[in-house]
């Protein structure tokens, strides 16, 4: 039982600090917590009973800032000053989103392609992290208002496909809002938790979480066993959601009312009014068989059949994603034990019907679909508060992580789809005598050459004491914590010199990019193997040349003139072969040089041994 005390000085209630769960959504955000008495999760509502806070920020001309419901009217009247869908921009660079710029009515800065995007408002620039923090602040103060106590700890949810940069950005937004973000968890995991799936440690289940929100669609396949959640695969469409349903209705009306089409040019707000009316009709059609609204003095109506026809292709697209997710996980719809419905748009009867038919199963849809993620986040918050020790959450890495080795090769330390948290170490060594530093470059991607992957970070391990090449033992370890944030550490084991870095990439990858990189790694697999073999042969050749050169400089006296000449020739041929793209040729030249040098290398070895023995008295 939680204790509640009274602060005698102020007369206010003192409660143990609550950890809240927050769904920071593209369209709507909300906050929930575990009711201390009933031990069930509840969402926090405002005075009007509204749980959802529209993810909107309005910047007034006089510098006023409105968030949520209060900002909504300005979406119509001042679209250029009202920020929506900021979640799409979290952890993104301009390059990542430039093809979708038309989706945003506000100004996104494009100065430096590679840096994180900023949004210009008057003469100020805002980062998506800052803007998200305004929404989080609003949720925080709602919770504080209700609980009459400060709230400073939270669990925030993100889509399962969010990468490192996007998770980090979400965490930063929380920090800016004055929240200590105890954990970032995946939305589908949260939704499953809300339905109590996985709360029984004996349970073993495969779950499909179908999440159709305002602007995005995600399908995630999870496996729960022994209280551990594992993401088997994710798929989706970052530009498919309820907004597209609204648009389909508007297009239908415009076709039927050509006069509106012409007045669209003069009347900038007409389109916004049409969209709002369309959304209203859409919502009504979730419960009724027909609905009508009045727009610009005219009454328009739509019935369920018409609506179903309009959105059927969109629902179909979502099912194609489900098919791909099943394929990726190597599963068929028969293997799915539970289907969890998430997102306001799953209220549409056609969506429910089609999804149930696709998986051939009844749905988990008894909770409000736009609240389940926050409810599950509250369950997780409760686990973190120490009230439920049975559960552990596991995620996977979307792309492989590794470092660059000799010849620009990618050495994978954490393979794609590894469960996190994850820790791995591997030893490396120096190439040159007396090499005092070593550069560690961290890459993400599936290709064999780092040049084809994405660089996440780089640092230099300095202060390695002078040792012959190959002597130092540098252990590079990768650690991904439960939030998916990577720390890379390098340590020279003989001297104890150490260096580490938390990898906060400049910006993240879009899921389209993740997909592209995976695809490329498949289509280029043949190429890569060839390139890799060539690079390896070249590296080996260079090493051998270096060693031979060093050997001759030291031991020339042991070699006959003829041997020297033959060696020089073989070295030259090898040198030449390195400039050609023929790995077999390089290998032949390596063997030839080895063949020539082997006898005198052995001779030198004997000399060294007998030299060493000379100094000692053997008895
Ligand atoms: P997000 O996860 O993107 O933040 P939500 O899960 O809150 O968004 O879903 C918002 C979408 O749900 C909007 O497109 C909204 O129109 C739609 N929606 C909400 N209620 C209904 C309803 N009763 N019928 C159909 N669509 C609905
Ligand atoms: Mg959502």
């Amino acid at each position: 039982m939680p204790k509640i005390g009274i602060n005698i000085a102020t007369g206010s209630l003192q409660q143990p600090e609550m950890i809240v769960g927050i769904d920071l959504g593209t369209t709507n955000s909300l906050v929930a917590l575990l009711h201390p008495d009933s031990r069930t999760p509840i969402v926090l509502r405002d005075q009007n009973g509204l749980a959802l806070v529209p993810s909107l920020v309005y910047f007034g001309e006089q510098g006023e800032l409105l968030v949520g419901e209060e900002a909504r009217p300005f979406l119509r009247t001042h679209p250029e000053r009202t920020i929506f869908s900021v979640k799409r921009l979290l952890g993104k660079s301009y390059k990542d989103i430039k093809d979708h710029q038309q989706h945003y009515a506000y100004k996104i800065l494009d100065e430096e392609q590679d840096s994180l995007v900023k949004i210009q408002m008057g003469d100020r620039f805002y980062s998506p992290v800052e803007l998200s923090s305004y929404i989080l602040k609003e949720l925080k103060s709602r919770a504080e208002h209700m609980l009459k106590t400060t709230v400073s700890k939270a669990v925030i949810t993100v889509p399962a496909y969010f990468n490192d940069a996007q998770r980090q950005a979400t965490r930063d937004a929380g920090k800016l809002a004055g929240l200590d973000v105890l954990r970032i968890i995946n939305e589908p995991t949260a939704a499953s938790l809300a339905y109590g799936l996985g709360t029984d440690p004996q349970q073993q289940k495969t779950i499909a979480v179908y999440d159709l929100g305002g602007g995005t669609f995600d399908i995630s396949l999870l496996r729960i066993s022994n209280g551990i959640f594992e993401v088997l695969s994710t798929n989706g469409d970052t530009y498919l959601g309820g907004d597209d349903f609204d648009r389909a209705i508007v297009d239908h009306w415009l076709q039927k009312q050509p006069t509106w089409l012409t007045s669209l040019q003069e009347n900038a707000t007409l389109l916004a009014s049409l969209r709002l009316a369309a959304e209203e009709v859409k919502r009504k059609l979730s419960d009724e068989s027909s609905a009508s609204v009045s727009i610009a003095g005219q009454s328009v109506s739509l019935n369920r059949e018409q609506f179903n026809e309009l959105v059927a292709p969109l629902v179909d697209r979502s099912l194609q994603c489900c098919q791909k997710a099943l394929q990726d996980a190597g599963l068929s719809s028969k293997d799915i034990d539970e289907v969890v419905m998430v997102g306001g748009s799953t209220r549409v009867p056609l969506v429910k019907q089609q999804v149930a038919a696709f998986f051939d199963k009844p749905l988990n849809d008894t909770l409000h679909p736009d609240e389940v993620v926050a409810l599950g986040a509250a369950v997780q918050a409760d686990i973190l508060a120490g009230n439920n020790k049975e559960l552990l959450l596991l995620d996977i890495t979307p792309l492989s992580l590794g470092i660059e080795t000799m010849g620009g090769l990618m050495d994978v330390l954490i393979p794609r789809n590894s469960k996190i948290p994850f820790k791995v170490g591997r030893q490396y060594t120096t190439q040159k005598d007396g090499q005092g530093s070593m550069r560690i470059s961290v890459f993400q991607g599936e290709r064999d050459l780092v040049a084809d992957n994405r660089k996440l970070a780089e640092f230099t391990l300095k202060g390695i004491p002078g040792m012959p090449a190959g002597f130092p033992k540098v252990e590079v370890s990768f650690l991904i914590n439960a939030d998916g944030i990577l720390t890379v550490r390098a340590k020279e084991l003989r001297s104890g010199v150490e260096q580490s870095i938390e990898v906060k990439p400049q910006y993240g990858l879009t899921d389209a990019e993740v997909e592209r990189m995976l695809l490329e790694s498949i289509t280029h697999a043949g190429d890569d193997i060839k390139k890799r073999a060539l690079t390896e042969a070249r590296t080996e050749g260079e090493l051998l040349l270096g060693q031979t050169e060093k050997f001759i400089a030291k031991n020339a006296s042991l070699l006959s003139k003829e041997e020297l000449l033959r060696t020089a020739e073989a070295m030259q041929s090898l040198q030449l072969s390195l400039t050609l793209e023929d790995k077999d040729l390089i290998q032949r030249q390596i063997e030839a040089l080895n063949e020539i040098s082997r006898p005198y290398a052995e001779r030198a070895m004997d000399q060294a041994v007998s030299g060493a023995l000379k100094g000692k008295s053997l008895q």
Side-chain angles (χ1 to χ4, degrees):
M1 267 310 285
K3 290 193 204 100
I4 298 178
I6 295 175
N7 181 327
I8 300 174
T10 61
S12 65
L13 280 183
Q14 277 193 326
Q15 292 170 324
E17 205 182 357
M18 298 294 257
I19 307 176
V20 296
I22 292 178
D23 172 5
L24 182 61
T26 311
T27 320
N28 295 304
S29 300
L30 63 160
V31 52
L33 56 80
L34 214 78
H35 194 282
D37 298 327
S38 69
R39 308 282 311 140
T40 52
I42 50 163
V43 300
L44 302 184
R45 297 169 194 280
D46 67 2
Q47 308 89 296
N48 305 318
L50 293 176
L52 303 186
V53 174
S55 304
L56 296 172
V57 181
Y58 166 72
F59 291 93
E61 267 140 28
Q62 260 71 54
E64 67 272 34
L65 186 85
L66 299 175
V67 178
E69 208 55 61
E70 290 190 312
R72 199 203 283 278
F74 298 97
L75 205 50
R76 179 149 52 157
T77 59
H78 296 77
E80 73 293 347
R81 305 192 71 88
T82 313
I83 314 293
F84 61 93
S85 287
V86 66
K87 181 173 178 177
R88 292 180 187 284
L89 304 178
L90 269 180
K92 297 279 174 93
S93 75
Y94 180 73
K95 214 163 69 186
D96 293 330
I97 54 119
K98 69 174 186 303
D99 295 339
H100 295 291
Q101 175 112 60
Q102 81 277 6
H103 283 273
Y104 309 96
Y106 43 87
K107 183 153 170 37
I108 298 173
L109 271 197
D110 54 356
E111 271 175 25
E112 290 165 74
Q113 293 257 318
D114 278 345
S115 60
L116 292 169
V117 293
K118 286 249 161 73
I119 289 146
Q120 184 171 13
M121 199 52 63
D123 53 5
R124 269 214 60 183
F125 303 105
Y126 295 89
S127 68
V129 168
E130 241 175 318
L131 296 166
S132 304
S133 82
Y134 296 140
I135 298 165
L136 290 171
K137 260 188 209 151
E138 177 72 20
L139 297 170
K140 177 178 186 296
S141 73
R142 171 179 291 193
E144 289 178 337
H145 192 80
M146 254 208 69
L147 298 171
K148 309 223 162 15
T149 175
T150 49
V151 169
S152 64
K153 295 194 168 84
V155 169
I156 305 182
T157 59
V158 297
Y161 62 78
F162 252 31
N163 64 21
D164 211 50
Q166 292 166 299
R167 284 166 200 264
Q168 192 72 49
T170 305
R171 186 174 271 283
D172 290 346
K175 218 182 287 168
L176 256 187
L179 289 168
D180 181 6
V181 182
L182 299 183
R183 188 66 64 88
I184 298 282
I185 68 164
N186 287 336
E187 287 162 12
T189 303
S192 309
L193 280 174
Y195 276 102
L197 299 169
T199 42
D200 173 2
Q202 309 310 324
Q203 224 173 33
Q204 188 161 0
K205 279 194 163 161
T206 308
I207 304 173
V209 181
Y210 179 102
D211 182 350
L212 191 61
T216 56
F217 169 64
D218 301 314
I219 172 78
S220 313
L221 303 182
L222 312 177
R223 175 164 299 146
I224 315 176
S225 62
N226 305 320
I228 294 174
F229 281 75
E230 185 187 336
V231 182
L232 299 178
S233 68
T234 66
N235 208 292
D237 188 329
T238 40
Y239 289 90
L240 174 62
D243 298 347
D244 298 288
F245 291 12
D246 306 345
R247 237 169 267 140
I249 298 175
V250 171
D251 289 348
H252 168 77
W253 284 341
L254 286 176
Q255 262 172 23
K256 287 181 66 183
Q257 301 270 354
T259 48
W260 280 349
L261 207 56
T262 38
S263 51
L264 267 185
Q265 270 95 21
E266 295 112 66
N267 193 346
T269 60
L270 178 61
L271 185 61
S273 308
L274 284 171
R275 288 224 173 118
L276 286 174
E279 200 204 345
E280 196 184 324
V281 162
K282 172 186 76 175
R283 285 172 183 260
K284 282 187 185 162
L285 287 176
S286 290
D287 301 315
E288 288 151 36
S289 57
S290 75
S292 61
V293 281
S294 116
I295 309 161
Q298 281 184 39
S299 168
V300 280
S301 64
L302 197 73
N303 66 38
R304 175 93 53 89
E305 283 73 46
Q306 290 172 308
F307 174 70
N308 286 354
E309 212 171 292
L310 291 173
V311 301
L314 299 167
V315 180
D316 252 14
R317 254 167 71 193
S318 78
L319 296 180
Q320 283 162 26
C321 295
C322 296
Q323 192 58 53
K324 282 191 210 136
L326 284 172
Q327 257 163 30
D328 280 354
L331 298 175
S332 83
S333 58
K334 282 195 291 298
D335 301 316
I336 304 296
D337 302 312
E338 301 277 351
V339 181
V340 174
M341 298 298 269
V342 183
S345 300
T346 61
R347 287 206 165 95
V348 171
L350 181 74
V351 172
K352 290 193 194 202
Q353 202 184 305
Q354 296 284 329
V355 175
F358 178 88
F359 288 104
D360 194 18
K361 240 154 240 110
L363 307 170
N364 286 282
D365 60 357
T366 49
L367 298 170
H368 289 309
D370 31 25
E371 296 178 0
V372 285
V373 169
L375 292 172
V379 173
Q380 169 67 14
D382 186 57
I383 295 170
L384 289 177
N387 300 330
N388 186 343
K389 297 199 171 63
E390 309 276 87
L391 278 171
L392 184 71
L393 300 178
L394 271 195
D395 291 327
I396 53 160
T397 55
L399 289 171
S400 301
L401 295 162
I403 65 170
E404 175 176 359
T405 53
M406 279 269 282
L409 292 178
M410 172 90 173
D411 195 23
V412 171
L413 277 100
I414 301 185
R416 159 179 150 71
N417 282 350
S418 296
K419 291 166 195 166
I420 58 173
F422 195 101
K423 189 170 190 260
V424 64
R426 193 170 292 168
Q427 280 187 17
Y428 298 88
T429 188
T430 51
Q431 284 169 329
K432 296 198 190 98
D433 288 340
Q435 185 176 332
S437 66
M438 196 165 179
R439 202 186 58 197
I440 314 284
S441 305
V442 183
F443 284 84
Q444 183 178 44
E446 304 313 307
R447 303 285 298 276
D448 273 350
L449 297 177
V450 292
D452 299 321
N453 291 329
R454 175 172 291 232
K455 187 189 256 182
L456 293 181
E458 184 174 278
F459 67 98
T460 305
L461 177 66
K462 293 200 186 101
I464 303 173
M467 282 183 254
F471 237 74
K473 283 190 186 159
V474 176
E475 179 161 88
V476 175
S477 58
F478 275 41
L479 170 77
I480 309 190
N481 70 10
D483 294 334
I485 290 164
L486 172 69
T487 305
V488 178
R489 176 166 294 131
K491 183 176 186 178
E492 202 290 297
L493 298 174
R494 293 183 193 275
S495 59
V497 178
E498 193 176 343
Q499 181 89 28
S500 75
I501 186 170
E502 188 170 300
V503 181
K504 289 184 190 159
Q506 276 280 293
Y507 58 90
L509 297 170
T510 61
D511 35 324
E513 267 181 295
V514 171
E515 220 167 86
R516 180 180 56 73
M517 291 172 81
L518 287 177
L519 208 72
E520 276 182 3
S521 77
I522 297 165
T523 50
H524 292 275
D527 275 15
D528 273 359
I529 290 169
K530 268 199 211 134
K531 269 199 219 166
R532 187 172 192 121
L534 181 64
T535 313
E536 270 168 3
R538 278 186 181 147
T539 309
E540 196 187 334
E542 266 158 26
L543 273 176
L544 181 62
L545 280 174
Q547 283 167 0
T548 315
E549 220 166 298
K550 238 166 68 180
F551 181 86
I552 291 182
K554 244 167 93 183
N555 305 299
S557 60
L558 293 174
L559 274 66
S560 72
K561 218 174 183 175
E562 198 199 333
E563 275 175 333
L564 276 175
L565 204 70
R566 279 180 57 206
T567 310
E569 269 170 16
M571 283 175 74
Q572 222 166 36
S573 310
L574 175 56
Q575 185 83 56
L576 188 72
S577 74
L578 295 183
T579 60
L580 306 172
E581 308 272 309
D582 184 347
K583 85 151 208 301
D584 293 333
L585 179 67
I586 299 174
Q587 247 142 23
R588 278 201 302 277
Q589 303 297 353
I590 289 175
E591 269 160 41
L593 180 56
N594 265 331
E595 203 56 38
I596 293 170
S597 57
R598 196 171 295 124
Y600 59 69
E602 278 163 8
R603 213 180 306 150
M605 187 74 90
D606 290 346
Q607 280 267 323
V609 173
S610 63
L613 292 179
K614 247 183 238 159
K616 299 207 170 100
S617 58
L618 289 173
Q619 284 190 340

